[in-house]
Structure formats: structure tokens, C-alpha cells
Amino acid sequence: MSLMVVGTVAFDAIETPFGKTDKIVGGAATYIGLSASNFYDKINLVSIVGEDFPREAIEMLNKHKVDTQGLQIKANEKTFFWSGRYHTDMNTRDTIETQLNVLENFEPIVPESYQGCECLMLGNLMPSIQQKVLNQLKKRPKLIVLDTMNFWMDNFIDDLMLALKNIDVLTINDEEARQLSGEYSLVKAARKILSFGPKNIIIKKGEHGALLFNDKEVFYAPALPLEEVYDPTGAGDTFAGGFISHLCATKDYSFENMKRAVIIGSAMASFCVERFGTERMRGLSLSQVNNRINKFVELVNFNIKTV
Ligand code: AMP
């Protein structure tokens, strides 16, 4: 049994009020894989990079239990590149540049050994590619989670609407939920987006936590109040990696267990933002992870008597 992860493996250039990076290794699937590796052993990656992508970064992923047999390396081509600048509040950012490069003609190939996966994480990527991966699977995974962003809503909305039809959980941020639904209230936005197909939706609100909805219930998880947030890049993907790997490891896809998964995702995201890029996500220890999850339990634990 395995967790299959599809998404970008990328170079990022990031600017925050704390500093600036040159091209560093990033990408949705990179963050998802690193985060998931804390809870699950068999992570299978489907993605693409150019020949400029460093071998050490692939080895780093392998060291974190990410199988890269499904990672295509294209000779004479360049890796996907994204650059972004965060505003002072660190909750909002502008994309400065997106160079699709190898993604432009990416035909994903699911290796035979990846068939029969328990869960599928369709990380942020062109919606038609997410769909192509799903179409190659001989058996529907028990859980399909899809993450996307405004870039794909702006440019490929029809493909995205198609991809939403057959998924179990959609994860997007508050701004994107408003864009996708045309509703300002997040409750109304969630309801409308659920009518597009996903059985559950998670709306991420950055430092204000995350909301999980199905058609009957709502759950809210706070974000850990941190003294310093250096770089929010990848927080959403890291969240998704923690969320899906907990569900995949426990094989319990109930709403109750999704609540726990949201807390785990939030705990992992709180690590991610503490350093630039993927630095904080490399080599976390089990006790660091457990301590952080316990901090969440303490944060929201209280006794109350109703009057
Ligand atoms: P997040 O901060 O969780 O939204 O994810 C940031 C990561 O997403 C970065 O490492 C980027 O390489 C990657 N990324 C940025 N734009 C896109 C896009 N349009 N499609 C897929 N991945 C992207």
C-alpha cells in the first residue's frame, strides 16, 4: 500500500520581509513528500524536472522515503520556476513569475509499481495533468485529495471544474475559495464548492488556521501562534502532506479522523514557516513532531460549563 503524490518539483525564488532567496528547491510535491514522510513510509512521487535540477535534491527526497521512479528528468529542459513576494502581513503574496518550463508538455506516467495506491494526493499542478494521473489508475484510491491555486483558476477553470468532480477532499486558501465560488462568506463559499463535486473541503486561512467542511459538519483548527514566521512558502502543501499521510496511515477516512488530520497538517505547517524554503522540513525528529502536535492539543483544550 502506498501514498501517491503528484505535484510540482520546482525552483523557487522567495522574498519576505525577513530576506530574499536565490533559486532554491521547492515545489508542491516536494513539501508534501517531506511532510508526509513523518507519518508514512511509502510515498510515490509523480512529477517532472529539467536537467538543471540537482541530483542531491532527489537524493534528499529518497532519504525522506519518497520514491522517485515516477519523477521524469528531461534532458535539455528547465525545471518549473516560481517566484513570489510576501506582503508585510505574511498572509498574502504576489506571484512575480511562473515559468512552466518542463510542465508545458508534461505527460505524467504512473509506473506499474505505483498502481493500487491507498491514497492519492493531487498536489498543486495543471488540472489536466492531475486528471491524466487519475485516469491512469486501474483502481480508485480510497482517498483522493486535490490542492490547487488561483493561477489554475485564472487560466484553466474548465479543466479544474472537471477535476473537482471525483475527489474526496479539496484544499484551497480563503482567497481562492472566494474566487472559485464567487461568495465572500466562507461558509457559503464552502457550500457552493461542495456542490461542484468534492465531498469535503478544507479552507486554509494562513495564520488564522483552517476550516474543514462536509455537507453537514464544520471543524476549525487554529494555527499555532508563532513568534516569528520567516517564509510561508509551502505551508499549504506541508499541511496537505500531514493531512493525507495521517489518513493514509490510519486507513480511517471518517470526518472524525479528518479532524485529527487537520490538526496534524496544521502542526506540520507550523514547522515549515519557521525557516526559508524546505529547510525546516528536512530531518524533523519524531519527538519534535509529537511535541508540536501536543502544543495544538494544549492550545485548544479547555473545560467549560454551560449556564
Ligand atoms: P504554497 O505556499 O503551499 O502555496 O506552495 C508553494 C509552492 O508551490 C512553491 O514551492 C512553488 O514552487 C509551488 N507553486 C507555485 N506556483 C505553482 C503553480 N502554479 N502550480 C504548482 N505549483 C506551484
Side-chain angles (χ1 to χ4, degrees):
M1 280 298 161
S2 59
L3 162 61
M4 195 160 106
V5 176
V6 186
T8 45
V9 173
F11 282 129
D12 294 340
I14 305 158
E15 210 181 313
T16 84
F18 291 96
K20 218 172 149 173
T21 69
D22 234 1
K23 274 188 174 180
I24 56 171
V25 169
T30 308
Y31 285 100
I32 294 166
L34 290 176
S35 177
S37 68
N38 293 284
F39 306 94
Y40 203 74
D41 281 344
K42 189 96 192 74
I43 301 157
N44 291 336
L45 174 67
V46 173
S47 190
I48 188 165
V49 288
E51 67 176 8
D52 54 350
F53 197 72
R55 180 164 295 278
E56 306 84 72
I58 297 175
E59 285 165 4
M60 181 277 292
L61 286 170
N62 296 150
K63 232 177 70 193
H64 285 86
K65 305 168 189 165
V66 179
D67 185 314
T68 48
Q69 210 188 317
L71 176 69
Q72 297 178 33
I73 303 172
K74 284 281 166 202
N76 305 317
E77 288 192 48
K78 282 164 76 180
T79 299
F80 173 82
F81 172 75
W82 173 80
S83 68
R85 184 185 297 125
Y86 288 85
H87 301 169
T88 331
D89 70 1
M90 290 290 235
N91 247 358
T92 47
R93 71 180 175 206
D94 295 324
T95 289
I96 301 168
E97 198 181 352
T98 302
Q99 289 177 14
L100 292 179
N101 297 333
V102 278
L103 266 196
E104 216 144 349
N105 298 309
F106 178 34
E107 287 298 329
I109 301 168
V110 175
E112 192 51 38
S113 62
Y114 285 13
Q115 290 290 346
C117 63
E118 174 86 8
C119 297
L120 172 63
M121 179 70 226
L122 294 170
N124 194 7
L125 197 68
M126 213 176 275
S128 58
I129 297 176
Q130 293 175 318
Q131 191 65 50
K132 276 181 190 167
V133 169
L134 195 51
N135 291 346
Q136 285 178 48
L137 298 187
K138 295 178 186 154
K139 196 170 149 230
R140 189 194 191 278
K142 297 262 170 50
L143 182 82
I144 304 173
V145 179
L146 184 144
D147 184 54
T148 191
M149 74 186 283
N150 50 359
F151 183 82
W152 306 116
M153 293 175 196
D154 294 339
N155 298 299
F156 299 92
I157 187 67
D158 293 343
D159 290 342
L160 178 61
M161 292 302 277
L162 211 64
L164 292 184
K165 287 204 182 305
N166 188 26
I167 60 164
D168 299 297
V169 186
L170 170 68
T171 66
I172 48 175
N173 72 28
D174 43 0
E175 225 177 289
E176 292 153 357
R178 289 184 172 120
Q179 178 172 347
L180 188 59
S181 64
E183 296 284 356
Y184 187 80
S185 148
L186 292 180
V187 177
K188 282 189 184 164
R191 206 173 297 141
K192 186 141 174 207
I193 295 168
L194 287 173
S195 77
F196 300 156
K199 297 186 187 72
N200 303 272
I201 175 170
I202 294 171
I203 302 182
K204 299 166 285 178
K205 288 155 56 69
E207 65 169 328
H208 304 299
L211 288 158
L212 164 70
F213 297 87
N214 68 11
D215 57 352
K216 290 184 217 65
E217 294 148 292
V218 191
F219 176 70
Y220 170 71
L224 197 69
L226 292 168
E227 266 183 46
E228 259 152 354
V229 172
Y230 279 96
D231 171 21
T233 307
D237 309 309
T238 302
F239 174 97
F243 175 81
I244 197 166
S245 57
H246 169 73
L247 295 172
C248 204
T250 53
K251 295 191 165 81
D252 172 356
Y253 306 108
S254 64
F255 193 79
E256 267 320 290
N257 203 33
M258 279 190 195
K259 291 183 188 177
R260 286 186 278 272
V262 167
I263 296 290
I264 286 170
S266 306
M268 298 318 289
S270 77
F271 281 120
C272 177
V273 303
E274 288 180 332
R275 302 264 194 290
F276 270 95
T278 56
E279 191 188 333
R280 189 71 173 108
M281 299 313 296
R282 301 180 188 203
L284 284 170
S285 70
L286 200 63
S287 68
Q288 284 174 314
V289 170
N290 283 333
N291 286 342
R292 192 55 67 94
I293 294 170
N294 283 332
K295 281 205 169 150
F296 271 83
V297 177
E298 286 161 27
L299 185 67
V300 292
N301 193 14
F302 57 86
N303 286 317
I304 194 164
K305 272 201 183 119
T306 49
V307 286

